[in-house]
Amino acid sequence: MSEETMVISEVARKFNIENHQLRDWCEVGLVRHKRIGRIRYIFTDEDKKIEKIIELKEKFGKHAPNEMIREELIKANLMSEEQTKIINKDLEEEDINENSFKEAFLLLAKKIEEMDKKIEKKEQLTLPSENLAEKKDVIEIKEQMNKLEQDNQRLKEVNDQLLKKLDSIHSAMTEIQKEQGKSIWKRMFTK
């Protein structure tokens, strides 16, 4: 078996087929390939097999079952039972690698979420220092309100004292009027 490879798009162009067809044949184990990252490479010794798959798909229809194509490739000595086992093993390993990638991605997503929560908590911890300034403002406002309430209470007391003095003056004036028999108003406005 040759270890030389070609990029899947070059092989598809060479046989005048669509990339997705060749990719599908790789995924079901009809064509030997390897993946490096996201790029799939086809081994160059698979050319005869690809030609035969194209021929079989034309003969039996493009939706011919892959098992039937595999059996025909084995009959034509283009694929052995051993190769089928190896390809199936490679496919399983590829699935495991894909699952490992998914698990790594999910783990990474979880770590990012945890970091976001930590950042949010840290921001909440910094807020109280900002709130201290607000608390100082609130305390100052409360102190000012208490002072205003005390001033208001003193003014109320002074007002009450003035009202009492006014009442006593009014009472005194009323007494004076009674003693003199005439009201001050009559004296002022009569001749």
Side-chain angles (χ1 to χ4, degrees):
M1 284 188 200
S2 172
E3 293 298 314
E4 291 182 43
T5 59
M6 289 179 65
V7 177
I8 191 169
S9 57
E10 292 174 6
V11 177
R13 204 171 315 126
K14 179 178 174 181
F15 289 101
N16 198 28
I17 58 175
E18 298 290 323
N19 282 358
H20 69 87
Q21 289 174 308
L22 194 50
R23 187 173 49 248
D24 290 345
W25 298 343
C26 289
E27 287 175 5
V28 297
L30 295 176
V31 177
R32 200 167 64 93
H33 68 287
K34 69 178 179 180
R35 287 178 72 165
I36 300 174
R38 292 183 58 202
I39 301 172
R40 196 180 305 254
Y41 296 89
I42 308 294
F43 290 96
T44 53
D45 61 357
E46 296 289 290
D47 285 358
K48 289 181 184 176
K49 192 188 301 181
I50 293 169
E51 287 173 356
K52 185 67 173 177
I53 293 170
I54 293 169
E55 178 188 315
L56 293 169
K57 290 284 187 178
E58 287 173 359
K59 181 179 177 182
F60 299 117
K62 65 180 184 178
H63 297 293
N66 293 320
E67 276 305 313
M68 184 179 80
I69 300 293
R70 188 182 318 255
E71 289 172 13
E72 292 295 321
L73 291 172
I74 291 170
K75 287 178 189 173
N77 290 323
L78 294 172
M79 181 181 252
S80 67
E81 289 286 342
E82 190 62 32
Q83 284 176 312
T84 302
K85 289 177 185 175
I86 291 170
I87 289 173
N88 286 338
K89 183 181 176 197
D90 288 346
L91 288 173
E92 287 172 9
E93 286 176 4
E94 196 172 291
D95 286 343
I96 290 169
N97 288 338
E98 190 172 320
N99 287 337
S100 297
F101 176 75
K102 286 179 184 176
E103 288 172 9
F105 181 77
L106 291 173
L107 182 63
L108 182 63
K110 185 178 179 181
K111 290 287 185 187
I112 290 171
E113 188 177 325
E114 288 172 3
M115 293 294 286
D116 285 345
K117 287 179 182 178
K118 286 180 182 178
I119 289 170
E120 189 175 312
K121 283 182 182 178
K122 189 171 184 179
E123 287 174 353
Q124 288 175 352
L125 291 175
T126 58
L127 285 178
S129 64
E130 293 172 4
N131 286 342
L132 286 177
E134 290 176 15
K135 286 180 181 178
K136 286 180 182 178
D137 290 343
V138 169
I139 290 170
E140 287 178 18
I141 291 170
K142 284 184 177 180
E143 288 173 355
Q144 289 174 352
M145 287 179 63
N146 286 338
K147 186 177 179 193
L148 288 173
E149 285 178 8
Q150 290 172 355
D151 290 346
N152 190 30
Q153 186 63 35
R154 277 191 236 120
L155 288 173
K156 188 177 178 183
E157 290 170 3
V158 169
N159 188 41
D160 288 343
Q161 290 172 356
L162 288 173
L163 285 174
K164 285 180 183 176
K165 287 183 181 179
L166 187 60
D167 279 343
S168 72
I169 291 172
H170 184 279
S171 296
M173 290 293 284
T174 306
E175 284 297 315
I176 292 172
Q177 286 176 353
K178 284 181 185 176
E179 286 176 17
Q180 293 179 354
K182 287 186 175 178
S183 76
I184 296 175
W185 295 110
K186 282 185 181 177
R187 281 190 198 169
M188 291 171 67
F189 295 110
T190 56
K191 291 186 182 180

